[in-house]
Amino acid sequence: MAEKLKGNILVTGANRGIGLELVQQLAETTGRDAHIYACCRAPEGSGAQALRDLTTQYPGKVTIMKLDVSDEDSISAAFQALNKQLGAGGLNLLINNAAINQPGSPGPLSATGKQDMMQVYETNVVGPFLIAKMFLPLLQRAAEMDSPQKEGDKMSCRRSAIINMSTLVSSIEKCPETFAQAQMYSYRASKAALNMVTRCQSEDFKRHNILVTAIHPGWVRTGMGGKEAPLSTQESVHGMLTMMSSLSDKDCGMLLDWQGNGIPW
C-alpha cells in the first residue's frame, strides 16, 4: 500500500462477505494506532461468529458494535456508543458497506414489488445518508486534529473520509452494457441514488476537509455476488484498501472501481 490507513475506522455490514474481509485486512495491515469498529445488526448472533473470531485473533484491535442501518434509533445508539469510546478522538474513516438486494439476482421487473423497492432504498440509501449525517461531528473532529503538514492535498482516508460502497450497475451510462445480465431494479436504483448522496455530501463536507467517494468493489464471490463472480473477497478488498490509501482531493465526489478507475455516472 502507498501509505497505511490509520486512526479510527468504522465498517458497516462487517459480519460477512466484503465487510468481514475489510475488517480482517484492516486489522492485519494497519499500525498500532489504528482501531477498527466492526458494525452489524446482531453481534451476538450465529451470523457474526466469524467476526467475533477476529476480535480474538486481533486482541485490542477490533471492537464489534451493534448497528442496523435501516433503523434510525440503532444508528443514533451506535453514534452515542462510538462517541463515548473515542473520547476526545475522532473518526478517520467511515466505510458504508452494508447493503441488501431484493428480490435476489437477476431481480426482473416481474418479481420486483413496492416493498422490495422501499426496503432496499431504506437500507442502501437512507442508512448511509443518516450515518454520515449523525457521525459527522466525529469526522469533523478527526479532520481538525490531523491537519496536513505541507501544502497540497487536504483530504485523505487517513485524515477524515467517507467511503460509500457502490457498484458498476449503478451507472446510468453503463446500463445498456449490464442490464441483460442482471436487471436488479431495486438495487440499481438504490445505488444510483447513493451515488447522488455521495456527490452531494462531497460538496457539503469539503469545507470540513472530509473526503467522500463511492467505490465499486468489483463483481465479487459473496452471497450477493454469487459463485460465478471472478473476484474473491480477498482480491477485491486488497485492491480497494490499496486504492483508498492513495485517495486525495481529486477523488472527492467520484465513483471509482476497486483499482481506482473512474466509472461514468
Side-chain angles (χ1 to χ4, degrees):
M1 294 184 184
E3 188 174 343
K4 287 182 179 180
L5 297 171
K6 64 178 186 178
N8 296 306
I9 302 170
L10 186 144
V11 181
T12 68
N15 62 306
R16 61 182 180 178
I18 290 171
L20 183 65
E21 186 64 28
L22 277 166
V23 174
Q24 174 149 2
Q25 290 197 29
L26 283 166
E28 288 177 355
T29 60
T30 52
R32 292 182 180 180
D33 67 326
H35 194 90
I36 298 93
Y37 295 90
C39 301
C40 62
R41 284 181 293 182
E44 304 302 324
S46 59
Q49 184 58 56
L51 182 57
R52 293 195 296 272
D53 291 343
L54 290 182
T55 65
T56 303
Q57 186 177 350
Y58 303 98
K61 193 72 180 282
V62 178
T63 298
I64 300 177
M65 299 181 64
K66 180 178 176 62
L67 173 57
D68 182 346
V69 302
S70 66
D71 184 334
E72 189 168 5
D73 290 338
S74 177
I75 296 171
S76 179
F79 166 76
Q80 297 296 337
L82 182 61
N83 190 33
K84 185 176 180 180
Q85 290 242 16
L86 295 181
L91 179 60
N92 299 92
L93 178 58
L94 165 61
I95 303 178
N96 279 317
N97 167 71
I100 61 171
N101 175 34
Q102 61 185 58
S105 185
L109 181 70
S110 59
T112 305
K114 177 182 178 180
Q115 188 174 16
D116 298 315
M117 296 294 290
M118 298 301 287
Q119 288 182 350
V120 172
Y121 189 89
E122 182 175 46
T123 298
N124 296 2
V125 187
V126 180
F129 168 80
L130 289 175
I131 292 170
K133 179 182 178 181
M134 290 191 192
F135 285 64
L136 180 59
L138 303 180
L139 291 157
Q140 286 179 270
R141 191 185 301 165
E144 291 164 1
M145 292 171 66
D146 187 15
S147 298
Q149 299 297 312
K150 57 184 180 179
E151 292 296 321
D153 290 326
K154 296 180 179 179
M155 292 182 282
S156 74
C157 288
R158 291 176 300 282
R159 185 180 186 185
S160 184
I162 300 170
I163 298 296
N164 289 325
M165 208 62 69
S166 188
T167 171
L168 177 65
V169 301
S170 70
S171 171
I172 295 171
E173 184 173 328
K174 291 283 187 180
C175 186
E177 300 172 27
T178 63
F179 185 75
Q181 188 171 16
Q183 292 78 61
M184 301 168 68
Y185 277 87
S186 60
Y187 189 71
R188 286 174 180 269
S190 73
K191 290 298 187 175
L194 180 63
N195 290 346
M196 179 56 84
V197 170
T198 300
R199 189 70 171 177
C200 289
Q201 290 182 341
S202 73
E203 293 297 319
D204 203 359
F205 298 170
K206 66 171 57 174
R207 58 199 165 102
H208 303 303
N209 293 313
I210 298 170
L211 177 77
V212 188
T213 301
I215 294 180
H216 161 53
W219 185 14
V220 186
R221 289 191 297 276
T222 62
M224 187 183 296
K227 296 179 180 179
E228 296 180 356
L231 282 176
S232 67
T233 55
Q234 293 85 355
E235 292 168 325
S236 169
V237 169
H238 176 75
M240 287 192 290
L241 292 180
T242 300
M243 188 257 290
M244 283 183 212
S245 68
S246 63
L247 293 179
S248 62
D249 294 20
K250 66 178 173 43
D251 304 302
C252 191
M254 301 297 287
L255 172 59
L256 307 171
D257 71 13
W258 78 103
Q259 297 175 314
N261 302 306
I263 297 173
W265 299 118

